[in-house]
Amino acid sequence: MAVRVGVLGATGAVGQRLIQLLDPHPDFAVAALTASDASAGKTYREAAKWRVDTPIPEDVAGMTVGATEPDSVPDDVDLLFSSLPSSVGAAVEPDFCEAGYVVSSNSSNARMAADVPLVIPEVNADHLDLLEVQRDERGWDGALVKNPNCSTITFVPTLAALAEFGLERVHVATLQAVSGAGYDGVTSMEIIDNAVPHIGSEEEKLETESRKLLGGFDGAELDRHDVEVAASCNRIPTIDGHLENVFVETDEDLSPAAAAEAMREYPSLDLPSSPDPLIHVFDEPDRPQPRLDRTLGDGMAIAAGGLRESTFGLQYNCLAHNTIRGAAGASVLNGELLLENGYL
Ligand code: NAP
């Protein structure tokens, strides 16, 4: 029988993607929706200005949106996907965990907390067991797991594939799509015919989250990988798909051919949303491109290309769909990992 799930922040850009991905999901059935007080009490069809590229699922469209508080969610819902603004997530996610719900969250609050697992299942599934420590320390029946920022998720799987060569230093420059800021995040006057070389707090997220994801877990605490990461983040006028230029210095010699082989062979997982292959490596020097390649693996694959030697070691480009692999799909995949590991 399907696990009953809810979506916190169900009317937003990521919330709508969650509804799109959950509607046909083999293991999860949507049973609760929440949003702001302005949406509470309306049907989902009325509250969500549906802008995803498939029709609104009819069974969800007729559901009533609740306020974002534990009392709005039926007790038999086991798992909540959270796509709330981070300030709201910080205020309410702990209440849901305390009330016994397991929360798989996109929001940036608490991603770097010492007892909160930050997980990309194909990279660091073992960090999920930090939930035992979290439950002990916080006295929760529920639990809180996070997925990383959409730009972090794009390049970290490629670094994980190269880790065997000894990661020393990484520089990453991003070209990020406008959907990463939510529907109301970037105005057309700001972004058409333009590029904006600043995205608030984004660079710090790439630099810190990547080291947490690549770090080890000894069963009690996490340590951060000692790779040095420098990021520069840019907003460009694409709709979906973050493209990144990456330079990696490694301990051991790393040729472009060896890097391509390591990426191609990096394993995916036997979970419904994990694509196979996880990393699609292009030989063509002008790929990946957002419009052409963001839907690889149903939007869950990482695309890489342009591998070559440079003054700063290996250079390549990578790409992921920011609202699927970078947000909604990442939370769903973490939900699948929670289910497989007996946390639901
Ligand atoms: P969004 O389009 O602005 O949606 C925000 C959602 O939160 C809506 O459902 C909204 O409900 C609800 N909400 C707003 N204020 C609330 C409040 N005070 N109480 C309860 N609910 C409230 O934002 P988004 O782009 O989907 O992003 C959601 C989260 O995911 C953010 O933390 C963001 O940083 C993160 N994220 C986004 C992306 C991306 O690619 N967009 C990628 C990774 C992570 P109403 O409709 O009722 O206002």
Side-chain angles (χ1 to χ4, degrees):
M1 211 171 73
V3 173
R4 285 164 62 81
V5 303
V7 179
L8 311 179
T11 52
V14 177
Q16 292 188 23
R17 275 284 179 209
L18 278 163
I19 297 300
Q20 181 192 41
L21 297 177
L22 291 170
D23 184 53
H25 198 280
D27 299 321
F28 300 142
V30 176
L33 307 169
T34 82
S36 75
D37 289 346
S39 300
K42 296 179 181 169
T43 63
Y44 187 65
R45 192 195 305 282
E46 291 164 344
K49 194 167 178 186
W50 186 256
R51 296 185 236 215
V52 180
D53 53 358
T54 52
I56 187 168
E58 278 307 315
D59 45 345
V60 177
M63 289 172 63
T64 301
V65 176
T68 301
E69 57 196 23
D71 287 349
S72 302
V73 177
D75 289 344
D76 64 354
V77 167
D78 280 330
L79 173 63
L80 296 172
F81 295 104
S82 171
S83 56
L84 295 165
S86 53
S87 57
V88 181
V92 304
E93 285 174 351
D95 297 342
F96 284 95
C97 298
E98 202 168 325
Y101 298 101
V102 175
V103 179
S104 172
S105 169
N106 253 303
S107 311
S108 60
N109 54 289
R111 279 191 192 138
M112 295 305 295
D115 64 348
V116 174
L118 179 69
V119 176
I120 302 174
E122 297 95 338
V123 171
N124 63 335
D126 60 314
H127 289 199
L128 199 67
D129 288 339
L130 185 62
L131 291 180
E132 305 292 351
V133 177
Q134 183 190 87
R135 283 176 160 167
D136 275 356
E137 283 179 359
R138 304 209 189 197
W140 287 345
D141 289 330
L144 180 62
V145 60
K146 294 275 167 177
N147 56 257
N149 174 275
C150 44
S151 312
T152 309
I153 262 183
T154 303
F155 80 119
V156 164
T158 62
L159 293 185
L162 303 177
E164 63 184 292
F165 298 94
L167 300 170
E168 289 267 304
R169 280 157 37 117
V170 175
H171 177 249
V172 55
T174 70
L175 302 148
Q176 298 183 217
V178 292
S179 62
Y183 284 120
D184 302 324
V186 186
T187 67
S188 53
M189 287 299 283
E190 273 177 287
I191 202 67
I192 293 175
D193 185 31
N194 205 11
V196 181
H198 173 73
I199 302 174
S201 308
E202 196 87 344
E203 290 164 355
E204 188 193 339
K205 288 177 191 165
L206 272 76
E207 290 165 359
T208 57
E209 291 176 13
S210 55
R211 296 183 55 221
K212 182 171 179 179
L213 287 156
L214 294 166
F217 177 53
D218 65 5
E221 49 186 48
L222 300 173
D223 63 7
R224 294 193 197 175
H225 197 290
D226 54 14
V227 62
E228 294 176 71
V229 181
S232 64
C233 295
N234 303 279
R235 186 77 70 196
I236 61 160
T238 44
I239 301 288
D240 288 317
H242 291 351
L243 179 64
E244 305 186 350
N245 312 129
V246 188
F247 296 80
V248 182
E249 291 173 52
T250 49
D251 263 349
E252 292 177 25
D253 285 348
L254 175 57
S255 68
E261 188 183 349
M263 289 186 197
R264 285 195 172 106
E265 288 181 358
Y266 190 76
S268 65
L269 291 179
D270 189 18
L271 294 172
S273 301
S274 185
D276 189 12
L278 172 63
I279 305 175
H280 183 105
V281 182
F282 285 94
D283 292 324
E284 298 87 335
D286 61 349
R287 304 286 284 276
Q289 296 180 18
R291 187 150 44 87
L292 301 181
D293 303 316
R294 62 194 169 204
T295 55
L296 278 169
D298 292 331
M300 288 297 284
I302 310 296
L307 286 87
R308 69 181 194 92
E309 274 175 32
S310 78
T311 318
F312 301 105
L314 179 76
Q315 175 184 343
Y316 59 92
N317 306 313
C318 57
L319 170 86
H321 195 301
N322 54 295
T323 63
I324 303 179
R325 169 53 84 162
S331 289
V332 171
L333 190 57
N334 279 347
E336 293 166 3
L337 189 70
L338 285 158
L339 180 61
E340 187 184 73
N341 283 270
Y343 283 100
L344 304 182

